[in-house]
Amino acid sequence: MRPLSVLVAATLTAASLAACGGGDDSKSATPQADPSTPFTPSASDEEVAEPDTWPLTGLPVADGDSSVEKHPILVTKIDNTTSSAPQVGLSKADLVVEELVEGGLTRLAVFFYSQVPDNAGPVRSMRASDIGIVPHDDATVITSGAARVTINRIQGAKIPFIQEGGAGTYRDTSRSAPYNLFAHLTATAKSIKQPEVRPADYLPWGDGSDLPQGKKASSFAVQFSGGHTTEWSYDGDGYKNTNSNAGADDQFPADTVLTLQVKVGDAGYLDPAGNHVPETQFVGDGQAWLFHGGRVVRATWHKDALSSILELEFKGKRLTVPAGHVWMELVPAGPGNVTWQK
């Protein structure tokens, strides 16, 4: 296996402009960024050497599997409240990032690449925090839309996106709005031009052989606010989100849960419901907890600037993430917001 690269992460600033209850899904009054040039294979495309690992999991590509996908990474913004139940498509995701939004609730940025489900959702709006979550050169965001100021920031970061009305999006009439927007991601993927090169590795992948032993942790909880805590348990094979909004047969298969404690400030404006909009400050230093194999390794993360590479460190040495499916928690810093039991 060749050496693995690390994705250069950009800014992570959570600037949400709309109430999670539904006012945040209005489409921009101006046209969206258009990433959807139809893909047409060429001789040079067919000659691209196939990578040996998947960029979002670090796992080896099976013989005969096509690792040069005909689409970029698809980052789908999915609601994470009880109103979204059942969420659709998480079992096919490579990686998930959970982020804070208004009202102390959370939203998911769900990454699809090695597998693309026919259906995913409910699709909700983008946040400026996605600028630091989405790999700019390798991904397209599927979203219901966003407020104008968020659109401006996403376009300024040159992140392409497809919003309601774009390829593959549809409303499920059996559900209530705004929790009824979904995407046929197979159709969406076919509409987007293939990246020229393999996407960079999203995390500093390792094989787990150098992972510190850590402490036993059979269950743990990540508290985002007084109104939302994400709960996990280890079943001997991987981690189950015990208060997930996904269907029982559509759960994300988490091998690792990487929790990063981040500072959250005020974005300086109000959402349509009059709530202050939080802004995640993903720069500097913070505590990190890597849950893997029923144990937890307490470490630190560091970024020199918003656009710097995310680094993990344990006792002065670089820490890698065991290859597999990872759920990342970007939790506000605070005492006692990450707890576990043996």
Side-chain angles (χ1 to χ4, degrees):
M1 184 178 293
R2 65 184 185 186
L4 298 175
S5 60
V6 182
L7 174 69
V8 177
T11 60
L12 182 63
T13 51
S16 61
L17 287 165
C20 292
D24 60 345
D25 286 322
S26 60
K27 294 170 66 176
S28 169
T30 59
Q32 68 184 53
D34 183 10
S36 54
T37 303
F39 170 71
T40 303
S42 65
S44 60
D45 293 324
E46 296 173 356
E47 294 169 1
V48 174
E50 293 190 355
D52 56 4
T53 59
W54 294 106
L56 299 179
T57 63
L59 294 170
V61 176
D63 291 342
D65 202 350
S66 175
S67 62
V68 180
E69 295 295 337
K70 306 304 181 186
H71 57 81
I73 294 167
L74 304 176
V75 180
T76 306
K77 295 308 302 294
I78 293 183
D79 187 82
N80 195 40
T81 66
T82 55
S83 298
S84 67
Q87 296 163 327
V88 176
L90 267 65
S91 63
K92 298 295 181 66
D94 286 333
L95 181 143
V96 175
V97 179
E98 184 171 8
E99 57 187 293
L100 182 70
V101 292
E102 304 85 359
L105 303 176
T106 66
R107 189 155 295 178
L108 306 180
V110 184
F111 288 59
F112 298 99
Y113 187 69
S114 66
Q115 298 183 82
V116 177
D118 186 45
N119 291 289
V123 178
R124 299 299 301 275
S125 59
M126 297 181 292
R127 294 290 183 270
S129 55
D130 297 322
I131 295 170
I133 293 171
V134 176
H136 295 199
D137 297 328
D138 302 318
T140 293
V141 180
I142 292 82
T143 174
S144 61
R148 182 67 257 171
V149 65
T150 303
I151 293 282
N152 290 342
R153 295 183 67 179
I154 295 290
Q155 289 178 328
K158 301 186 184 304
I159 298 174
F161 60 91
I162 292 177
Q163 60 183 335
E164 183 174 4
T169 62
Y170 70 97
R171 290 280 177 178
D172 181 348
T173 57
S174 69
R175 299 202 186 201
S176 299
Y179 308 99
N180 63 348
L181 180 64
F182 285 78
H184 290 305
L185 287 185
T186 48
T188 305
K190 292 176 182 178
S191 75
I192 308 173
K193 185 177 180 180
Q194 176 187 4
E196 294 182 0
V197 297
R198 171 192 181 273
D201 288 336
Y202 193 78
L203 290 170
W205 301 116
D207 61 11
S209 62
D210 60 348
L211 187 68
Q213 184 178 21
K215 298 180 179 180
K216 290 186 65 175
S218 61
S219 64
F220 61 97
V222 180
Q223 184 176 12
F224 280 83
S225 69
H228 180 77
T229 298
T230 303
E231 300 170 352
W232 295 91
S233 66
Y234 181 67
D235 64 6
D237 293 319
Y239 291 90
K240 181 179 180 181
N241 179 191
T242 56
N243 59 339
S244 171
N245 293 303
D249 60 349
D250 204 4
Q251 298 279 327
F252 178 73
D255 298 304
T256 299
V257 179
L258 178 60
T259 299
L260 305 178
Q261 197 175 67
V262 298
K263 294 180 181 179
V264 177
D266 192 327
Y269 53 87
L270 305 179
D271 72 6
N275 299 311
H276 287 274
V277 176
E279 181 168 350
T280 298
Q281 299 168 356
F282 197 29
V283 65
D285 303 276
Q287 298 296 311
W289 293 262
L290 192 156
F291 293 89
H292 180 81
R295 309 188 73 88
V296 58
V297 176
R298 186 163 184 171
T300 58
W301 65 266
H302 176 76
K303 290 177 72 175
D304 287 324
L306 290 171
S307 58
S308 297
I309 294 172
L310 172 65
E311 301 173 358
L312 296 173
E313 186 175 289
F314 175 78
K315 294 185 176 180
K317 296 183 179 180
R318 179 175 180 265
L319 180 68
T320 60
V321 179
H325 292 83
V326 177
W327 183 297
M328 292 180 62
E329 306 278 25
L330 300 181
V331 62
N337 60 3
V338 181
T339 57
W340 63 87
Q341 295 183 357
K342 294 182 179 179

